[in-house]
Amino acid sequence: MIRVLIADDQPLVRRGLALILAPHPDVEVVGEAGDGAEAVALAPVLRPDVVVMDIRMPVLDGVGATVELARIRPAARVLALSTFDMDEYVVAALRAGAYGFLPKDVSPEELIAAVRTVHAGEAVVAPRLLTRLISTYVRATPREPRPAPAEPGGLTPRELEIWRLLAGGRDNAEIAAELDISVSTVKNHITGIFGKLGVRDRAQAVIAAYESGLVEAERRIT
């Protein structure tokens, strides 16, 4: 049973999320919180496995709540939600330890799949948003000239190549096809990349790619 705590400052949204999740036999909605501070207070009592967390809330926002939950209830995995696709808070939430991010307009099927995925310890970020968010809000360190980065974390040339493709939004099958290697080989390389970079998942690896200068951040257009 996946114990879920829902945190959102809008009662109607909380009820809607609960109604989507409740019918599934492997999910139990154990509580609702109206802001991040309430979610943090409820977590030790309700012992959620997954916290479906709105990013923008009063009192304590989703980023601050994620930081606190990582401290007091590390077993709870945060799935962040936002109304806004281009939200700098999302990158902050991923840095703080959120396991995933979805826009609030996802389908019920996508939401329940994401809850199950983060409960299993894997990252979830809507593919259409990940690269755009990070390239917009993560500022790469300027380097001149720009050859391949000098083996950050001791990565091999092949690992650097896979890291670059991963940061460009490719999934494992696409990386395997482009490099003419098996998907299992890609997975093995990615596990090694995560270990050498000291990151937990794909989202944090992409952030690291932009911050290291491996991938150029796009200029934000206002």
Side-chain angles (χ1 to χ4, degrees):
M1 183 67 71
I2 304 171
R3 298 171 60 83
V4 177
L5 172 64
I6 297 169
D8 194 291
D9 62 325
Q10 298 182 40
L12 190 60
V13 173
R14 294 199 303 271
R15 282 285 78 209
L17 293 171
L19 289 171
I20 289 171
L21 295 172
H24 296 273
D26 60 333
V27 174
E28 179 185 5
V29 177
V30 295
E32 299 178 14
D35 57 59
E38 187 178 3
V40 170
L42 288 174
V45 179
L46 300 178
R47 296 176 291 105
D49 301 306
V50 175
V51 181
V52 178
M53 179 91 71
D54 185 23
I55 288 288
R56 295 179 178 269
M57 292 185 290
V59 185
L60 182 65
D61 63 27
V63 177
T66 298
V67 171
E68 286 300 305
L69 285 171
R71 183 177 63 84
I72 67 168
R73 176 70 182 169
R77 288 160 179 162
V78 173
L79 175 61
L81 301 179
S82 176
T83 305
F84 307 99
D85 281 3
M86 300 300 288
D87 192 338
E88 68 273 21
Y89 278 55
V90 174
V91 172
L94 294 172
R95 283 200 186 104
Y99 269 71
F101 161 72
L102 292 175
K104 285 187 176 179
D105 63 356
V106 296
S107 68
E109 293 77 17
E110 289 172 313
L111 176 63
I112 186 63
V115 167
R116 289 170 177 151
T117 298
V118 298
H119 178 250
E122 299 178 23
V124 173
V125 180
R128 79 177 193 266
L129 302 180
L130 179 59
T131 300
R132 191 168 77 229
L133 276 165
I134 293 173
S135 66
T136 301
Y137 288 106
V138 177
R139 187 181 299 277
T141 302
R143 297 167 183 248
E144 290 187 17
R146 295 204 55 88
E151 300 186 359
L155 268 61
T156 66
R158 174 48 62 93
E159 287 172 335
L160 283 169
E161 190 174 20
I162 290 174
W163 185 24
R164 184 179 289 107
L165 293 171
L166 181 156
R170 274 32 167 239
D171 62 25
N172 290 354
E174 291 170 332
I175 293 172
E178 183 154 343
L179 299 181
D180 195 25
I181 57 179
S182 70
V183 172
S184 62
T185 298
V186 172
K187 290 179 180 178
N188 289 338
H189 278 304
I190 288 176
T191 299
I193 291 166
F194 287 179
K196 290 179 180 180
L197 295 177
V199 301
R200 189 195 60 219
D201 55 41
R202 258 181 137 79
Q204 291 186 350
V206 175
I207 291 172
Y210 280 95
E211 291 182 326
S212 73
L214 181 79
V215 178
E216 290 282 0
E218 297 173 357
R219 185 184 301 276
R220 183 178 177 184
I221 299 174
T222 58

